[in-house]
Amino acid sequence: GMFTHPCEGFPKNRQSNQTGRLHLAPHTPPSLSLGLSALLRKPSMEVLKHLFEHYFHAPPDTVQPLQGELGGSGRAILRLSAGAHTAIGILSSVREENLAFLEFSHHFRHHGLPVPAIYAEDLSQGAYLEEDLGDNTLYQFLSANRSAESISPQVIDAYRRAVAILPRFQVD
């Protein structure tokens, strides 16, 4: 089946020798052992595609990497889509970070805070699927709505909403 071994899709600091057995690669620093190429190999990608298909009842027809690795953390972020359905897929080998992110996401959503919904997860494979909120950041919005003479009401409203919600992440 797809989920045969909990370590599948998590190449650690190993290389395969002629006999097919795994051995530790002696000179690879642990921080560099999990590159983006390792994460984007099957079975990790297949797990994301499976989560997408399970949630949307359609296989993704497009998988687009949104960026490489965030600050060397070894996290891959991809946009998967099928027709009008889109989701953000995350592949990360750091189980503790994944657990923390998912816990915070569920907690914040429970308290009505504007964070992406988690659609599906397979922590044994370091994969989860979340709501796609688009590409437009607050900074891009402010830049596009800025003029030299005045601050538009849309910009003031965007700032007001952002500043109003921020303290709730601290206390809720």
Side-chain angles (χ1 to χ4, degrees), residues 21-36:
R21 284 194 295 263
L22 292 170
H23 67 277
L24 290 176
H27 303 298
T28 311
S31 60
L32 301 177
S33 62
L34 263 167
L36 183 61

Side-chain angles (χ1 to χ4, degrees), residues 2 5 26 33 47 55 61 72 76 81 91-92 100 102-104 110 124 126 134 136 139 147 153 164 168:
M2 178 171 265
H5 190 275
S33 62
V47 171
Y55 186 82
D61 48 39
S81 54
L91 293 171
S92 174
L102 295 171
E103 286 292 317
F104 278 120
H110 178 73
S124 71
N136 207 12
Y139 177 77
S147 65
R168 293 192 51 206

Side-chain angles (χ1 to χ4, degrees), residues 115-132:
V115 296
I118 304 299
Y119 289 158
E121 57 194 67
D122 182 352
L123 285 181
S124 71
Q125 300 291 317
Y128 55 93
L129 207 59
E130 65 183 23
E131 182 180 7
D132 185 351

Side-chain angles (χ1 to χ4, degrees), residues 59-106:
D61 48 39
T62 325
V63 177
Q64 172 199 2
L66 294 184
Q67 92 321 260
E69 298 184 42
L70 284 181
S73 67
R75 182 180 295 115
I77 302 177
L78 307 105
R79 174 172 283 129
L80 295 88
S81 54
H85 300 300
T86 69
I88 299 299
I90 311 290
L91 293 171
S92 174
S93 62
V94 186
R95 185 176 174 81
E96 295 76 19
E97 277 182 20
N98 293 341
L99 278 169
F101 180 85
L102 295 171
E103 286 292 317
F104 278 120
S105 293
H106 292 306

